[in-house]
Amino acid sequence: MQIGFTLPQFGPLAHQAGEVARFAAEAERLGAGSLWVGDRLLAPVDPTVGYGGGDSIPEVFRSRLDPFALLAVAATATERVRLGTNVLNAPWYAPAILARSLTTIDQLSGGRLLPGLGIGWSPEEYQAAGVPMHQRGARLDECLDALEALWTSNPARYEGEHWRVPATYAELAPAQRPRPPLYLAGYAPAALRRVARRADGWLPVCVPGPWEFDPATVNEPMRLIRDLAGKAGRDPGELGMVLRVYPAPGTSLDQVVETLTRAERETGAGHAFVEFMNIARTVDEALEQAEKILRAAGVRSRG
């Protein structure tokens, strides 16, 4: 299994922005297969919808760094690791702006970008982004179409209900051809159908700590996605999967390693990454934990 980690982005780790390049380079040396960023815009004082279905927003989101800037730093500090987004809330961004940012990162990294897109859940963040939340599904669908046009046509243009790109020369494409692989997140029926029809892969999630890992939470939706993909005329075997491992506060490294081991054995997941925001407060602590996780999983250092 390839094992990756999140870059220092939220909570106390966000206050160590000057350490992002060092973290990225050292994580790669330790044997990490990928590095990831999230996409939080606000930490509302009185949220309409809380995080993870709750009624509040975790304190770690009160400090946050920009995902595109962090990926650019990581791209220039590393040579081999994949660089992923977990996940960009695509409806917040005009597709032309999103395409420019992602193309830049894919070029900087020599073709190592793995963009994961989603629609988010916070009404306050949508208000701050100036985008109607009730349009988020339709805007994501149009964004996927517009990205395809901008990345595979020259001149490129797109006309949709919510997004429009006038005819433009598009002579700089991503390093990956015909485009970077696009992964989508979500468990709602519409989200799973979108993965089956439109995506190169799915981003399921598990939360070590309070709950024992249940492989059915990954296997059953993935089986449905592949069934729907086949009915849509796609090859189900070409759909990838990257497991997002979000340890709850207080989760031990043994629990994280057990989750990774079981996921590989019981779901066939060949790629997973661990979110550090709840289990590390400093970059050095995060690197120490990354090394322990990689060694326990049998991953060898590259240095």
Side-chain angles (χ1 to χ4, degrees), residues 17-58:
E19 296 289 309
V20 171
R22 181 172 73 88
F23 176 90
E26 182 64 8
E28 180 177 70
R29 186 192 68 79
L30 291 172
S34 56
L35 297 171
W36 296 77
V37 293
D39 196 11
R40 289 270 62 82
L41 188 59
L42 301 178
V45 174
D46 297 306
T48 306
V49 178
Y51 180 71
D55 56 6
S56 63
I57 304 296

Side-chain angles (χ1 to χ4, degrees), residues 46-238:
D46 297 306
T48 306
V49 178
Y51 180 71
D55 56 6
S56 63
I57 304 296
E59 187 174 343
V60 291
F61 289 140
R62 297 180 186 180
S63 301
R64 51 205 172 266
L65 295 172
D66 178 77
F68 301 103
L70 291 192
L71 285 180
V73 170
T76 57
T78 59
E79 297 178 353
R80 296 177 295 272
V81 292
R82 298 287 288 186
L83 302 172
T85 64
N86 165 51
V87 293
L88 293 176
N89 293 311
W92 296 352
Y93 306 101
I97 294 174
L98 185 60
R100 182 183 64 181
S101 295
L102 296 179
T103 296
T104 300
I105 293 165
D106 201 49
Q107 285 284 346
L108 285 172
S109 66
R112 292 184 281 130
L113 179 65
L114 200 166
L117 306 179
I119 59 173
W121 46 266
S122 170
E124 286 78 17
E125 289 184 323
Y126 269 87
Q127 183 179 1
V131 176
M133 187 171 179
H134 71 275
Q135 297 175 353
R136 62 194 187 276
R139 284 179 179 268
L140 174 57
D141 284 330
E142 289 193 10
C143 179
L144 294 173
D145 290 334
L147 288 175
E148 188 78 20
L150 286 161
W151 282 341
T152 62
S153 304
N154 183 28
R157 67 186 299 272
Y158 177 75
E159 289 287 336
E161 180 180 353
H162 304 291
W163 299 118
R164 292 174 178 81
V165 180
T168 178
Y169 293 108
E171 296 186 356
L172 181 62
Q176 298 178 84
R177 299 300 177 87
R179 57 166 176 75
L182 288 168
Y183 279 53
L184 296 176
Y187 281 83
L192 297 180
R193 290 194 297 270
R194 186 179 289 113
V195 174
R197 297 193 321 268
R198 309 294 306 275
D200 297 296
W202 182 47
L203 294 166
V205 63
C206 66
V207 184
W211 302 284
E212 183 179 353
F213 176 67
D214 181 1
T217 62
V218 175
N219 290 335
E220 291 179 10
M222 195 68 206
R223 189 177 299 114
L224 174 60
I225 288 169
R226 288 182 169 138
D227 180 60
L228 291 171
K231 291 178 180 177
R234 303 185 65 195
D235 180 356
E238 293 183 354

Side-chain angles (χ1 to χ4, degrees), residues 249-274:
T251 301
S252 70
L253 289 186
D254 287 342
Q255 289 173 299
V256 173
V257 172
E258 180 184 5
T259 297
L260 291 168
T261 301
R262 289 193 60 195
E264 182 179 22
R265 183 176 65 242
E266 298 175 37
T267 73
H271 191 171
F273 69 88
V274 178

